[in-house]
Amino acid sequence: MKAFSETDFTDDLKKIQVPTLVLYGTDDQVVPFAHSAPLSTKLLSKGVLKAYEGYSHGMAVVHADVINRDQLEFLRNCASPGWGVGSTGAALHPFDC
């Protein structure tokens, strides 16, 4: 746990140049939302934050149906050429790619 809580991923996150979905539960007691999610997303050049109100650290298991649906939507719309942006520059879906 010490290595997890004391490791600084700032430089690694800055190097990622592809659309990246950051999924986070606002009720995460292991790694509190305010201390990680917004900062991680900001450090990613193409980061997209999806916050789940009231979800905990185990949200990928407890709410697998919701999380899997959102991951698939992100992959379909943001991780493809054009990153889901129309000819006018407007996003074509709920994710702000």
Side-chain angles (χ1 to χ4, degrees), residues 16-65:
I16 298 173
Q17 299 297 312
V18 296
T20 305
L21 179 60
V22 177
L23 303 174
Y24 229 96
T26 60
D27 195 34
D28 190 326
Q29 301 297 308
V30 178
V31 183
F33 179 86
H35 298 167
S36 182
L39 177 59
S40 296
T41 306
K42 186 178 179 179
L43 292 171
L44 293 160
S45 66
K46 295 178 179 83
V48 176
L49 174 60
K50 174 74 174 179
Y52 297 88
E53 189 65 36
Y55 283 23
S56 68
H57 191 77
M59 68 182 194
V61 174
V62 176
H63 303 284
D65 55 332

Side-chain angles (χ1 to χ4, degrees), residues 1-13 31 35-36 39-40 43:
M1 193 67 157
K2 183 178 178 180
F4 175 72
S5 65
E6 294 181 7
T7 302
D8 183 358
F9 293 104
T10 300
D11 291 336
D12 296 320
L13 291 171
V31 183
H35 298 167
S36 182
L39 177 59
S40 296
L43 292 171

